[in-house]
């Protein structure tokens, strides 16, 4: 049975049903559909459109549907085009004529928009929690790395030594921006579209503000046309996930490089490596490579949705149904990647000797020599030219740089000592820099930031800690928790 049998009869062609149905994937919205319907029913009761006993009957039917869905006993019927149709059909089976009142004053257009916002609210928060799990591991590994150092690279060329802790926290801070973006996206999307109807509102005395409050939204839509056609929040979510994916890709790329024999900076734990079906000696960084590979898919999902949206006039068009699969898939893939990378980083074995040997190259302290000359009063450009000349001479004449430095009248013993292993990295003393002093400070700041972000997540609307329904404080509120 279709929802529009009054107008079109009941003869939808089979291939049309197959082409237009979304129930196979929008079942993921079932929990949110029930949440939205409960608020809608209460709103109809408050407006006097439903009698109190009708409200009770409908809420009980919705609860029963919820139990059936949870217990796996809910049976989807061939005519259930989407999850909204399926839930309404079952409520009507359970509650007869009263069930047939469920959809009063509502369209699937405002309903699906509401469901999807509720889904994003809880799902993006859960992604952010997994990001914090990975940041936690990075922080732990950074703490335990102590004074270990490795080359920092620019243009893939060894540039200056940096503490391993500093390098790990660089990834940590990028992830902190991801958390920030996810939290901000949730805050922005936390607006109720319910009451917009198909596109223009209703002649019935509905109270969208009441329903919005019931659902823990910050408020209601301002414009019904905008409310049913707005998928900015899906695009934003896909962007947040794509950029997070790009960050995970960068981490994966580094592990793939660092675990290669050429670098040898780290070794994969057996549980986080894969073998080769042909080459017995291989131990492959497939987790790192897939973390890198998934980013392409995530960027594709964002691009696909933007192209879908780009062609649409106001207001709801069925094209919008194409918003869900990329969103669901992006969230699922990012969870998988985050968890696998968290385990990978927790179990990586570092080879400090290899890292440090690579960082102790003869010329990595060249900038420190130049800066020593600056401290002694030489203009920087002149110092740069002088040290550059010595590096060149050392290479051309095959004389160790330290020897030339020691012999130079403007440099000498003190300067040559800067070239000893492990000294250069200690010279990075400025705030946010790569040496032990600023990194100790950074570890404190990062720890504090993680604490703040954990608290923000606990306070987010609809967070697992509290009820997603009335009175959930928004991120700006300081009450509750
Ligand atoms: N399954 C549809 C979607 O996800 C629900 C809305 C359908 N509305 C309509 N007027 N056909 O977009």
């Amino acid at each position: 049975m279709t929802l529009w049998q009054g107008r079109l009869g009941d003869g939808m062609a089979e291939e049309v049903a197959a082409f237009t149905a979304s129930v196979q994937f929008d079942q993921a919205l079932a929990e949110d559909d029930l949440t939205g319907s409960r608020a809608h029913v209460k709103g109809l009761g408050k407006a006097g459109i439903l009698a109190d006993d009708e409200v009770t009957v409908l809420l009980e039917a919705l609860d029963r549907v919820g139990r059936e869905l949870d217990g796996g006993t809910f049976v989807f019927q061939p005519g259930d085009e989407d999850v909204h149709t399926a839930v309404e059909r079952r409520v009507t089976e359970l509650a007869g004529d009263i069930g047939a009142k469920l959809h009063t004053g509502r369209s699937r257009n405002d309903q699906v928009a509401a469901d999807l916002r509720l889904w994003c609210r809880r799902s993006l928060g859960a992604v952010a929690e997994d990001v914090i799990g990975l940041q936690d591991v990075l922080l732990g590994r950074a703490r335990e790395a102590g004074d270990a150092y490795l080359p920092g690279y620019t243009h893939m060329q060894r540039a200056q030594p940096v503490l391993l802790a500093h390098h790990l926290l660089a990834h940590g801070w990028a992830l902190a921006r991801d958390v920030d973006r996810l939290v901000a996206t949730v805050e922005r999307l936390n607006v109720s579209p319910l009451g917009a109807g198909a596109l223009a509102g209703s002649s019935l005395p509905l109270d969208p503000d009441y329903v919005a409050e019931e659902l823990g939204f910050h408020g209601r839509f301002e414009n019904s046309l905008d409310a049913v056609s707005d998928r900015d929040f899906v695009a934003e979510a896909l962007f947040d996930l794509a950029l997070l994916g790009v960050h995970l890709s960068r981490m994966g790329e580094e592990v793939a490089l660092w675990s290669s024999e050429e670098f040898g900076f780290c070794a994969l734990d057996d549980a986080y490596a894969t073998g080769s079906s042909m080459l017995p000696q291989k131990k492959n960084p497939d987790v790192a490579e897939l973390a890198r590979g998934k980013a392409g898919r995530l960027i594709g999902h964002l691009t696909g949705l933007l192209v879908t949206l780009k062609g649409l006039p106001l207001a709801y068009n069925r094209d919008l149904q194409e918003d869900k699969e990329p969103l669901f898939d992006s969230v699922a893939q990012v969870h998988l990647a985050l968890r696998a990378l968290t385990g990978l980083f927790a179990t990586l074995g570092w080879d400090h000797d290899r890292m440090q040997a690579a960082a102790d190259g003869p010329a990595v302290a060249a900038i420190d020599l130049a800066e020593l000359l600056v401290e002694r009063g030489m203009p920087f450009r002149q110092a740069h030219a002088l040290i550059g000349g010595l590096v060149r001479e050392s290479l051309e004449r095959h004389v160790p740089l330290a020897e030339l430095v020691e012999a130079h009248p403007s440099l000498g013993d003190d300067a040559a000592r800067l070239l000893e292993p492990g000294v250069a990295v200690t010279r990075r003393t400025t705030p946010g820099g790569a040496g032990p002093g600023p990194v100790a400070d950074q570890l404190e700041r990062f720890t504090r930031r993680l604490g703040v972000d954990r608290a923000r997540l606990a306070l987010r609307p609809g967070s697992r800690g509290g009820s997603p329904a009335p009175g959930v404080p928004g991120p700006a509120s300081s009450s509750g928790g």
Side-chain angles (χ1 to χ4, degrees), residues 42-53:
K42 288 182 196 162
L44 292 175
K46 183 168 172 283
I49 298 165
L50 291 178
D52 287 351
D53 55 331

Side-chain angles (χ1 to χ4, degrees), residues 22 26 82 108-109 112 316 318 321 324:
S22 55
D26 67 19
D82 55 23
R108 280 183 301 159
N109 299 351
V112 70
Y316 181 86
R318 191 62 176 270
Q321 185 169 287
K324 287 170 207 65

Side-chain angles (χ1 to χ4, degrees), residues 9-167:
D10 207 9
M12 184 190 276
E14 215 173 286
E15 59 273 28
V16 173
F19 188 50
T20 57
S22 55
V23 69
Q24 44 319 342
F25 54 82
D26 67 19
Q27 284 178 43
L29 297 174
E31 176 185 331
D32 308 290
D33 199 66
L34 292 172
T35 304
S37 288
R38 285 190 190 99
H40 176 64
V41 165
K42 288 182 196 162
L44 292 175
K46 183 168 172 283
I49 298 165
L50 291 178
D52 287 351
D53 55 331
E54 292 178 318
V55 169
T56 307
V57 167
L58 281 173
L59 291 179
E60 276 170 12
L62 288 166
D63 286 347
R64 163 100 183 253
V65 172
R67 285 196 299 277
E68 291 179 359
L69 283 160
D70 287 346
T73 58
F74 187 95
V75 184
F76 287 94
Q77 302 292 347
D80 292 341
E81 177 184 304
D82 55 23
V83 69
H84 326 289
T85 319
V87 169
E88 188 188 338
R89 190 251 318 138
R90 183 68 185 135
V91 166
T92 308
E93 281 168 13
L94 292 169
D97 282 350
I98 299 176
K101 295 185 176 185
L102 172 63
H103 209 55
T104 311
R106 183 173 75 171
S107 159
R108 280 183 301 159
N109 299 351
D110 58 345
Q111 186 181 0
V112 70
D115 291 3
L116 206 53
R117 283 171 189 266
L118 292 172
W119 188 90
C120 281
R121 201 167 76 174
R122 58 193 177 92
S123 304
L124 298 184
V127 170
E129 277 173 3
D130 273 3
V131 176
I132 288 185
L134 175 55
Q135 289 177 294
D136 236 352
V137 163
L138 291 173
L139 175 61
R141 303 290 335 240
R143 279 219 182 90
E144 97 201 9
D147 288 338
Y149 58 93
L150 75 162
Y153 295 83
T154 62
H155 313 275
M156 281 288 286
Q157 309 290 317
R158 291 174 191 169
Q160 282 184 282
V162 298
L163 286 192
L164 174 58
H166 191 61
H167 193 109

